[in-house]
Amino acid sequence: MNRRVLLIDADTGFRDTLTRELGRYKGVVVMTEADPDRAVAIAAADAPSLIVIAVEEPDKTGYKVFQKCKKGALAKVPILLVTASVTADSFAKHRGLKVHADEYIDKRDMSMHELVGKVDNLIVLGDPSDDDISIPVEDDIPMEIGDGDVVLDETVAADDGGGPDDFAHEARTVGPGDW
């Protein structure tokens, strides 16, 4: 099940953070558009699973974008409002309105856990995909190898455009004096 998240925000740092954090979940795609009018047109043509809208000082145009999204075809799409400049009081007043966002996040003090948790509550992310987990490997890690341990020797041939034979591995059992 593919879920698209539309982010309407000019903050490249937050766009990178949201894309990285949600990209860990299978079937979640983050689309970003800084221009609010174009973003609303994109969303109206093919409704996303979630819309994330930035509300920033001084003009707070994000509130106007929110109002556009709550009308017509996008009325049922959950909306998460985010800010790096609007006061907590402003968000609190907005929450008190008859038509308000489904969630709110202040980027100034948000944690990744809070971000992912609030998105998960709105569109159910599921478990992170194991495909994108990378573990740093250091070749200089000292290891103790003992009698009876199995060692995997791997070699990779030069990058000459060859086929699967360019990678070779061999398992062997270590005996006394082999290490």
Side-chain angles (χ1 to χ4, degrees):
M1 163 173 74
N2 286 335
R3 287 149 302 157
R4 291 180 306 115
V5 175
L6 175 60
L7 172 62
I8 307 170
D9 193 352
D11 178 355
T12 57
F14 185 71
R15 287 188 298 191
D16 293 345
T17 298
L18 186 68
T19 301
R20 181 184 66 248
E21 292 300 316
L22 297 187
R24 297 175 33 227
Y25 295 87
K26 189 172 187 161
V28 177
V29 176
V30 177
M31 305 176 315
T32 61
E33 178 57 60
D35 180 81
D37 293 329
R38 192 161 49 217
V40 171
I42 289 169
D46 189 14
S49 302
L50 171 67
I51 301 173
V52 180
I53 304 170
V55 180
E56 302 303 345
E57 294 287 0
D59 55 8
K60 300 179 186 177
T61 59
Y63 287 139
K64 294 174 189 148
V65 174
F66 167 81
Q67 290 299 326
K68 287 181 187 177
C69 290
K70 279 303 188 182
K71 296 177 183 172
L74 300 174
K76 299 218 185 271
V77 175
I79 295 178
L80 168 64
L81 291 182
V82 298
T83 190
S85 63
V86 172
T87 66
D89 289 343
S90 179
F91 263 12
K93 286 178 186 175
H94 196 267
R95 275 190 186 102
L97 297 175
K98 183 177 179 181
V99 178
H100 56 85
D102 299 280
E103 278 293 351
Y104 298 79
I105 290 182
D106 188 329
K107 294 189 267 183
R108 293 168 288 204
D109 59 5
M110 113 187 139
S111 69
M112 292 309 113
H113 180 73
E114 176 188 19
L115 174 64
V116 171
K118 287 189 177 193
V119 171
D120 186 39
N121 286 337
L122 295 172
I123 64 170
V124 186
L125 294 171
D127 293 325
S129 171
D130 292 334
D131 299 341
D132 297 332
I133 297 175
S134 61
I135 301 171
V137 177
E138 293 183 28
D139 292 334
D140 298 336
I141 299 173
M143 287 193 223
E144 303 243 350
I145 300 174
D147 290 343
D149 287 348
V150 176
V151 176
L152 181 64
D153 292 327
E154 297 180 324
T155 57
V156 179
D159 187 16
D160 60 0
D165 295 334
D166 289 344
F167 179 75
H169 55 87
E170 175 184 330
R172 61 185 170 89
T173 302
V174 177
D178 286 344
W179 24 271

